[in-house]
Amino acid sequence: MLSKYDNEMRLEFLSKSANEAFARITVAAFASQLDPTIDEIADIKTAVSEAVTNCIIHAYEDTQGIIKLHCIIQDNSIIIEISDNGKGIEDVNIAKEPLYTSKPNLERSGMGFTIMESFMDKLSVESVLNLGTKVTMEKTIKKAKNILEEQENKCTTA
Amino acid sequence: MDVSYLKQDKLLIIKFTEEIDHHTTEKIRRRADYEIERYIPRKIIFDFDKVSFMDSAGIGLLLGRYKNATALGSKVELENVNKNIYKILKMSGITRLIQIKEKGCA
């Protein structure tokens, strides 16, 4: 198969909570070829965990469905698409508000989208009621050389 | 999860031994609530030394335990929190409610 990207992978799994760890570890392993820092990997793992948990708790609720994961590596960036065929989000803007949760009784913090947004460089959410939701996130992995330069700049400005 | 109770100090130490996400919180929640209600400690320490990962499910878990503990008159503290987990705690504002000691800091 030809790909227009540097690398890509697809994965489908059942919406079982045991797969939350499976999904984030898999994406972290795939992203490791960009040579990210431990902090960058931690950010990616957390964002993936939030997106997959949303599919399980909200999209499929008490039913079971398939969660699709599509990862693309292009230049220094990883693009992660996580989609479901669940019930969809009525108002994405409200769902993205910090501390908003539709399930306060479950001790949910309402921080999911806020974490995805701040841990990744880009986030977009497309949702159609009763058809499903697709979350696309992108993170650019800084090259070691750039990080060094940044630190040097910090030192000179300090 | 390892639990120890120091009777003379009325101190309950709950050491988490797994990654904290939506999958693992249910079990942790049940056990932690059981131990807190059993001892009604003066202080509860959640030890994060062995926790390499936590997502927002952990925030819900900690806020819930904080509420229950406060209702029983117990104090709550977190110890040995790594910097990536601290970042999430900070973002949630929970750092204003609960005293948190980061890993490697005395």
Side-chain angles (χ1 to χ4, degrees), chain A residues 79-145:
Chain A
I79 299 158
I80 304 161
E81 266 177 29
I82 294 166
S83 54
D84 63 68
N85 302 108
K87 69 170 189 181
I89 303 169
E90 220 172 277
D91 188 329
V92 171
N93 288 324
I94 290 178
K96 281 165 84 175
E97 274 176 25
L99 306 180
Y100 172 83
T101 174
S102 57
K103 296 191 189 303
N105 52 322
L106 288 184
E107 284 192 355
R108 300 292 307 159
S109 65
M111 293 289 295
F113 279 124
T114 309
I115 287 176
M116 289 181 234
E117 216 155 25
S118 57
F119 283 19
M120 303 293 282
D121 297 328
K122 282 183 203 162
L123 169 75
S124 73
V125 185
E126 293 164 59
S127 192
V128 180
L129 270 184
N130 302 317
L131 277 180
T133 302
K134 181 164 91 177
V135 169
T136 310
M137 311 182 273
E138 184 174 341
K139 191 173 184 72
T140 302
I141 303 301
K142 291 179 184 164
K143 284 272 164 264
K145 192 178 139 248

Side-chain angles (χ1 to χ4, degrees), chain B residues 18-40:
Chain B
E18 65 256 280
E19 301 198 324
I20 301 174
D21 63 11
H22 157 250
H23 179 66
T24 58
T25 41
E26 188 49 44
K27 216 172 124 192
I28 297 173
R29 175 178 301 131
R30 251 184 282 134
R31 176 83 195 276
D33 282 346
Y34 169 77
E35 301 291 350
I36 293 166
E37 277 162 34
R38 177 176 163 199
Y39 293 112
I40 315 193

